[in-house]
């Protein structure tokens, strides 16, 4: 098997327990390595055994990530990780379900699924590795590329304004919105852990640089000097309006940390479904369902 | 008489459909079999509507051809349905005198029905109930009288229908009904429409449509997850499941689109549950990529496609059998997925269960190719006993296998044990990207070949699934007939007609459309010199699919018509006769051109 399930009851989990023997295909220096390491740490802190974790992704460099963990992985099709993850979570609410992918995967081809996962408050943690470029297809503009980006598909400069993933998810009503960078491993691991612990849909935008096709002046080391920790700036993550204000600066300021955490999370999709199932089961207890004449009175309508 | 076809047409508010439903309820209660089909104009609400009810002492195979009785509330509305409500000079025409039409001004294209019966329907409704909406109750009274149905059975339905509308409304409709009944008693028709008593002893039967039985079949099969998006004519499957599934610990997700619907279902299957999605043509197109993902990750999944007129938006409320190619071929790469087609409402139940069984057995997506006719027509059928179904569950790894689990292990059957999240030791990567036995991504040609083989070889046992084919007629006859889906019932009746005339033939109804069951087809074709395939598409899609896979009889013909064109047993009978008389060709004629071969 490609994955092991090393955490045994009783022994504390370590990041190594979540590391699969598969060697990442990413370019040396790719930001996604840092995201993976931060994730190992967060999962160790959470302590759920790998076989109780389902890790779903779309297609892209970043979407390779489930295979590098020991969790049950599902590397699906481009842009569709969120619906698949919701099916998994609803089918087995006991599982810890993680979703990951790129900016193109999440905000271009899969953009239509984001608001719906949020409005259902699906209990998922969604990590987008936002490198402002299509990495896997070798350097076309992505929905988060700044206007004027010269890329392989826009040699004279792109004409579209970028979408703002932070503002989008906040506006859709996400209860947890955060941003991190791979250069700040401790910070990123803490954000991922907090996102997983949040009861409901948690969105984490990671500014994860692409060394091969990204902006040379926006790489891991540079980011470290540019980042502004929200906590250090005194931001209160329960203040949604302030979070929205700060999120406007996406593309200019590199804020890291939690923009917004809903202090009163609404019920999750799964908990509402569970309640309905219990109610219907109680109502039908003792009644054996049959397909018989009693089901359909001859005077149908 | 033992078989009667009644057609009715009016405007939206006339309650024509509800009259049809009351009538089918009443004939069911008397022990008859029946089939009710409905047809609407393009308007969302209001507009013209019609229904046809075929009542028989024996199980009804199809909606039938020309009408024995036509009830016409409005001539324009009636004529708009054209060939869906065909009349002949033997059709008894009952119409509202209010329309002003009489024997001299019949808008029937110089057709002179022998029995023409004008009734002051609207006046009677207003007189008795005070409102013209009670016309349909007058009609029920008239038909009860002329057909010899028990008024009590019709009144049961009437009371149920008006229970919530208050005593006043109910009393008015009861008076309208009585007036119709009285009118029929004092005005005998020029033709006897009295039905023979039912042949079989009175049994409690059920009335259902295909979509309802698809939903019930899914639950019986153990489906606990449905993801879908509303689309005519498949929506009712989601609606029925939405009321029933929760108590089984299941979930219905009305997704944001068809892709998300099938995606969520696939996710649920990955998590170990039996899952389904349902749609019609446009939705099937959207689900295609996800079906390919299910094939390559070898996850069970049932996808229902209730066919409507296509391509594109096509004709949402009309029936067609033109999604066969899409069901079979619409995914890139070397994939095969089983495609099943139910032939009746009752059949939909068992075949839905079979779809789940095949999906679980072979770890594959399965398409259940229903059609608008079967999905939305109501039939009176004998109750089904869910306890007699046999259910298949996916092969799971044993404790020993979990010690060293290999998800995509190459086995001789092509089937390898399937774990799911939560199962310790079963951790694996499911990926759309090509993978080796362990699930690790690969671009190695040799492994790709082996994996393709694994994913195809598992379907070999389907080649001999004789039980998924219905055969009728003389096995030695040189004349063959093939029909599928809702068209099968029409062919079945045509076969019985020609055999009664002394023309020998043999009919095959495939419920497994793909992969083509080569053994079954070879057996069927062996004695044949001529064979005709009846279907409702322009190209004759099954005809062409068969020719792709098996050697066909010397004279292999297609009779295919685009959707929304009614097909009738009489029509098929004349085609069969023609084929039986035609001179036998020495060699197979080339039918390479893709236009309708006829
Ligand atoms: C339906 C479909 N369309 C296009 C592609 C090709 N494709 C693969 S990844 C990708 C974009 C990747 O960009 P992003 O999601 O930002 O991920 P990254 O590689 O940057 O991590 C594209 C267009 C595909 N695999 N499937
Ligand atoms: S192309 Fe860019 S995103 Fe992809 S692996 Fe290389 S550096 Fe990372
Ligand atoms: Mg990207």
């Amino acid at each position: 098997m490609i994955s092991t399930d090393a955490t045994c009851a009783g022994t504390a989990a370590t990041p190594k327990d979540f590391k699969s023997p598969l060697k990442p295909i990413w370019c040396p220096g790719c930001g996604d390595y840092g995201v993976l390491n931060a994730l190992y740490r967060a999962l160790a802190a959470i302590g759920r055994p790998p076989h109780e974790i389902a890790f779903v992704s779309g297609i892209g460099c970043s979407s390779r990530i489930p295979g590098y963990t020991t969790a049950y992985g599902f590397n699906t099709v481009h842009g569709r990780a969120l619906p698949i993850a919701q099916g998994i979570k609803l089918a087995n609410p006991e599982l810890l379900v993680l979703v990951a992918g790129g900016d193109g995967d999440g905000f271009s081809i899969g953009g239509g699924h984001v608001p719906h996962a949020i409005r259902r408050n699906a209990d998922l943690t969604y990590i987008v590795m936002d490198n402002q470029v299509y990495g896997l297809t070798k350097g076309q503009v992505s929905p988060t590329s700044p206007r004027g980006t010269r890329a392989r598909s826009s040699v004279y400069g792109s004409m579209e304004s970028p979408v703002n993933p932070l503002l989008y998810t906040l506006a859709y009503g996400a209860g947890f919105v955060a941003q991190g960078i791979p250069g700040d491993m401790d910070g990123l691991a803490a954000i991922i852990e907090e996102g997983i612990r949040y009861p409901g849909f948690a969105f984490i935008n990671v500014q994860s640089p692409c060394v091969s096709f990204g902006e040379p002046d926006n790489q891991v080391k540079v980011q470290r000097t540019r980042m502004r920790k929200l906590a250090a700036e005194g931001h209160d993550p329960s203040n949604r309006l302030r979070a929205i204000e700060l999120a406007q600066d996406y593309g200019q300021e590199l804020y890291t940390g939690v923009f917004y955490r809903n202090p009163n999370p609404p019920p999750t999709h799964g908990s509402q479904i569970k309640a309905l199932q219990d109610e219907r089961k109680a109502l039908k207890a003792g009644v054996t369902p049959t397909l018989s004449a009693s089901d359909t009175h001859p005077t149908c309508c | 008489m033992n078989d009667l076809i009644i057609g009715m047409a009016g405007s939206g508010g006339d309650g024509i459909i509800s009259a049809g439903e009351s009538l089918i309820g009443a004939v069911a209660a008397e022990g008859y079999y029946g089939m009710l089909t409905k047809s609407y104009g393009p308007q969302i609400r209001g507009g013209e509507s019609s229904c046809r009810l075929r009542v028989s002492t024996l199980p009804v195979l199809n909606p039938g051809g020309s009408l024995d009785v036509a009830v016409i509330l409005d001539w324009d509305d009636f004529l708009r349905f054209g060939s869906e409500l065909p009349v002949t000079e033997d059709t008894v025409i009952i119409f509202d005198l209010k329309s002003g039409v009489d024997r001299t001004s019949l808008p029937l294209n110089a057709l002179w029905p022998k029995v023409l019966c004008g009734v002051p329907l609207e006046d009677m409704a207003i007189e008795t109930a005070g409102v013209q909406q009670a016309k349909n109750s007058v009609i029920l009274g008239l038909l009860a009288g002329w057909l010899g149905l028990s008024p009590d059975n019709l009144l049961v339905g009437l009371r149920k229908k008006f229970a919530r509308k208050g005593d006043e409304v109910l009393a008015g409709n009861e008076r309208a009904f009585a007036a119709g009944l009285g009118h029929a008693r004092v005005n005998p028709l020029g033709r006897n429409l009295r039905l023979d008593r039912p042949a079989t002893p009175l049994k409690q039967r059920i009335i259902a449509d295909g979509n309802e039985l698809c939903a019930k079949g899914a639950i019986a099969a153990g489906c606990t997850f449905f993801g879908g998006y509303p689309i005519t004519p498949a929506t009712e499957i989601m609606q029925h499941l939405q009321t029933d599934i929760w108590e089984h610990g299941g979930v219905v997700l009305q997704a944001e689109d068809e892709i998300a619907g099938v995606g969520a279902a696939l996710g649920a299957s990955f998590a170990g549950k039996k899952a389904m999605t349902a749609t019609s043509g446009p939705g099937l197109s959207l689900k295609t990529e996800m079906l390919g993902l299910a094939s390559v990750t070898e996850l069970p999944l049932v996808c229902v496609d209730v066919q409507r007129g296509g391509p594109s938006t096509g004709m949402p409320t009309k029936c067609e059998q033109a999604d066969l190619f899409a069901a079979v071929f619409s995914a890139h790469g070397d994939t095969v997925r089983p495609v099943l087609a139910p032939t009746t409402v009752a059949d939909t139940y068992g075949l839905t269960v079979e779809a789940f069984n095949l999906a679980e057995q072979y770890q594959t997506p399965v398409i259940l190719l229903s059609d608008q006719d079967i999905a939305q027509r109501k039939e009176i059928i004998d109750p089904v006993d869910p306890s007699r179904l046999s259910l298949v569950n996916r092969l799971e790894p044993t404790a020993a296998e979990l010690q060293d689990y290999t998800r995509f292990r190459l086995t001789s059957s092509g089937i390898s044990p399937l774990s799911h999240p939560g199962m310790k030791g079963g951790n694996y990567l499911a990926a759309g990207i090509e993978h080796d036995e362990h699930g690790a991504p690969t671009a190695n040609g040799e492994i790709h070949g082996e994996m393709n083989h694994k994913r195809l070889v598992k379907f070999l046992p389907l080649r001999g699934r004789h039980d998924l084919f219905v055969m009728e007629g003389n096995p030695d006859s040189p004349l063959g007939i093939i029909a599928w889906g809702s068209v099968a019932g029409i062919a079945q009746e045509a076969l019985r007609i020609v055999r009664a005339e002394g023309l020998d033939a043999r009919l095959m109804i495939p419920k497994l459309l793909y992969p083509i069951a080569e053994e079954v087809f070879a057996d069927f074709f062996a004695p044949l010199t001529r064979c005709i395939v009846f279907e409702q598409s322009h190209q004759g899609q099954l005809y062409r699919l068969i020719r792709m896979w098996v050697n066909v009889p010397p004279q292999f013909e297609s009779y295919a018509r685009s959707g929304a064109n009614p097909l009738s047993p009489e029509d098929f009978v004349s085609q069969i006769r023609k084929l039986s008389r035609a001179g036998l060709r020495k060699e197979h004629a080339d039918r390479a051109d893709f236009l309708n071969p006829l």
Side-chain angles (χ1 to χ4, degrees), chain B residues 312-323:
Chain B
S312 192
T313 303
M315 296 184 290
T317 58
K318 301 294 178 195
C319 190
E320 192 166 65
Q321 297 181 305
D323 289 359

Side-chain angles (χ1 to χ4, degrees), chain B residues 368-577:
Chain B
L368 185 74
L369 205 51
S370 178
D371 60 46
Q372 183 274 334
D373 189 19
I374 291 175
Q376 294 192 322
R377 77 188 185 198
K378 294 220 187 269
E379 285 182 31
I380 301 169
I381 57 173
D382 294 314
V384 206
D385 181 2
S387 66
R388 295 203 4 233
L389 299 167
S390 61
L391 302 184
V392 176
N393 292 312
R394 60 190 72 178
L395 180 69
E396 291 193 346
T398 61
E401 283 166 332
L402 286 173
Q403 293 301 310
D404 180 23
Y405 182 57
T406 307
R407 163 64 186 111
F408 301 101
R409 188 190 293 282
L410 296 171
T411 59
S412 55
S413 67
I415 298 165
S416 37
L418 171 56
S419 64
H420 58 78
M423 195 180 267
K424 193 163 182 206
N427 312 34
Y428 74 102
L429 176 68
I433 198 160
E434 187 58 285
H435 39 255
D436 65 14
E437 286 186 275
H438 301 279
T442 182
N444 176 303
E446 203 177 317
I447 298 175
H448 178 47
E450 283 170 354
M451 283 294 155
N452 269 335
H453 180 77
K454 173 189 196 297
R455 291 187 292 258
L456 299 184
V457 76
K458 60 187 180 183
F459 297 117
L460 282 186
L462 291 178
R463 284 192 306 194
R465 283 292 300 267
H466 290 264
D467 61 312
L468 292 173
F469 292 75
V470 172
M471 303 285 181
E472 189 173 325
N474 180 1
D476 301 322
S477 165
L479 181 62
I481 304 165
I482 298 175
W484 64 285
S486 59
V487 173
I490 306 170
Q492 224 166 350
E493 186 169 344
L495 174 81
R496 291 176 194 177
I497 295 170
V498 296
R499 295 194 84 213
E501 290 173 353
L503 179 62
D504 215 1
R506 171 118 158 124
L507 169 70
M508 172 164 97
I509 300 171
K511 296 184 189 185
L512 173 67
L513 298 179
Y514 204 78
I516 291 289
E518 293 166 48
E519 274 174 46
V520 183
F521 277 88
D523 286 355
F524 176 72
F525 285 152
L528 300 186
T529 53
R530 309 153 198 250
C531 183
I532 185 163
V533 185
F534 291 114
E535 51 192 319
Q536 196 174 32
S537 63
H538 199 78
Q539 297 178 80
Q541 297 189 355
L542 181 62
Y543 168 82
R544 288 172 192 282
L545 197 62
I546 294 170
R547 291 191 45 192
M548 184 175 162
W549 284 99
V550 281
N551 292 328
V552 296
Q555 195 146 345
F556 192 51
E557 300 281 336
S558 166
Y559 183 75
R561 295 181 75 189
S562 294
N565 291 297
L567 299 167
S568 70
E570 298 86 42
D571 196 12
F572 285 9
V573 164
S574 68
Q575 294 300 325
I576 298 167
R577 285 198 200 114

